[in-house]
Amino acid sequence: MIITKSEPFTKEEIEKKNKQVLGALALDLKRVALGYFRGSTPMAERFFEEALKRRSEVDRENLKPYLVKFLNNMENLKKEDGKRAAENALLYSTIFQNASTTIS
């Protein structure tokens, strides 16, 4: 079922959606990190694809610039070796998780 709305979303509704998407993005990136740490590259790559899909759902206009920078830098995880990618995915996961709890 698709729910549509006749008037534009309010700032509070956009922030709530961003909060949810950033939380889900954080979980996907944590799974990417776990996959690389465990040596399960296919799992890590699958969750990385999911994280990229989540990234496109974020309304970047209402985010702080440092979060937008991290969202843009997510592509670099694909180019890194396993251990480095795992460490950075965990770092990004923590940053996005913290952001999802502090957005007012």
Side-chain angles (χ1 to χ4, degrees), residues 4-87:
T4 58
K5 192 172 176 184
S6 59
E7 62 268 353
F9 288 104
T10 64
K11 184 177 180 184
E12 291 81 22
E13 291 172 326
I14 293 171
E15 287 176 353
K16 182 179 177 184
K17 179 182 178 259
N18 270 350
K19 218 174 181 179
Q20 292 171 343
V21 173
L22 285 174
L25 178 60
L27 287 175
D28 287 339
L29 287 170
K30 190 170 284 187
R31 290 181 182 115
V32 169
L34 287 172
Y36 281 127
F37 275 127
R38 293 178 181 164
S40 178
T41 306
M43 174 189 147
E45 290 174 352
R46 177 67 182 126
F47 280 108
F48 184 66
E49 290 173 17
E50 291 296 319
L52 291 178
K53 288 178 188 176
R54 295 259 188 233
R55 179 180 71 167
S56 67
E57 297 174 12
V58 176
D59 182 10
R60 297 173 188 219
E61 290 180 17
N62 293 309
L63 288 181
K64 294 182 179 177
Y66 80 95
L67 291 173
V68 175
K69 179 182 170 189
F70 281 114
L71 286 171
N72 292 337
N73 288 340
M74 278 179 52
E75 287 287 333
N76 295 337
L77 290 174
K78 194 73 170 162
K79 301 172 190 169
E80 298 171 350
D81 68 326
K83 185 176 180 183
R84 179 80 174 172
E87 291 172 354

